[in-house]
Amino acid sequence: MTAFPVLGDPFNSPGVRETTATAVYRRMKVDLMTGALKPGARLNVSALANRYETSNNPVREALNRLTAERLIVQRDQKGFAAPLMTVEDLRDLADTRIALETIALRRAMERGDESWRRDCKVAFHVLSETHYADAQGLPDLEWEAAHRSFHLKLIEPCGSPRLLNFCDDLMYQAARARFLAVTSTPDGRLRETEHSALLEAVIGGDQGAAIDRLSAHYRTTIELVEKRLDV
């Protein structure tokens, strides 16, 4: 199991035993992201309990938590469902990520010290050494974990746990978009070059360039997803 299932909880305390409901929540979150629970699919409590080998109550708790985070939808008299993806949603996702992470990145660059800059370089190195796709051509969960760690590290010193959590939630939604749009055809994107250019601007203290590169990076992701989904 990769580190990715803890996405959405960057402040999870190590060594603290999680409840069954939390374990189900994390597994369901990964299944939603990877498309194992398909967009628009009805999420039946009993079926999910069988899937995750647990009772109904932890599943209900997990569903309520995911509903509160707007990662699944609850329909009147029809229960829960995995959310669909529209072009409007994708564009709103990009705009919101850019707005929030611009604030977080600017604050982080103002407050970050040399130790933080070294950590950013280490996070980039780990990311660059991790393969994007697995043998089936799907985004690899190890890569997703390294990608998340890199982007969170860039904004870590922003000074706002709430802002970090919001940004992390949006990273999850962007990861889901990538999984749902993936095909076996390479997209030709130079991800390492984009990340390297972003890191260079952050380490160099050039806020304008860092924000421009971050914005372009996220818009490129959404544009590619739109093309893959043919929406």
Side-chain angles (χ1 to χ4, degrees), residues 149-220:
S149 295
F150 172 69
H151 278 284
L152 283 178
K153 181 57 65 177
L154 293 181
I155 61 175
E156 186 178 70
C158 74
S160 171
R162 185 173 285 105
L163 182 56
L164 285 172
N165 266 322
F166 287 148
C167 291
D168 196 26
D169 287 343
L170 295 174
M171 286 181 198
Y172 166 84
Q173 294 181 43
R176 180 173 183 263
R178 282 195 299 273
F179 267 91
L180 296 181
V182 74
T183 70
S184 59
T185 304
D187 58 27
R189 186 177 183 186
L190 300 176
R191 291 177 176 82
E192 187 173 338
T193 300
E194 292 177 30
H195 291 132
S196 177
L198 174 58
L199 176 67
E200 179 182 22
V202 171
I203 297 301
D206 189 338
Q207 289 190 15
I211 289 168
D212 287 345
R213 291 170 187 179
L214 182 74
S215 300
H217 179 55
Y218 287 167
R219 292 203 185 283
T220 298

Side-chain angles (χ1 to χ4, degrees), residues 84 95 118 125 171 179 181 221:
L84 296 171
D95 289 343
R118 285 195 301 270
H125 175 73
M171 286 181 198
F179 267 91
T221 296

Side-chain angles (χ1 to χ4, degrees), residues 42-51 54-57 59-60 63 80:
R42 182 180 177 184
L43 303 178
N44 177 272
V45 173
S46 296
L48 289 172
N50 289 332
R51 179 185 183 88
T54 187
S55 62
N56 288 353
N57 284 341
V59 170
R60 289 194 184 94
L63 287 170
F80 300 94

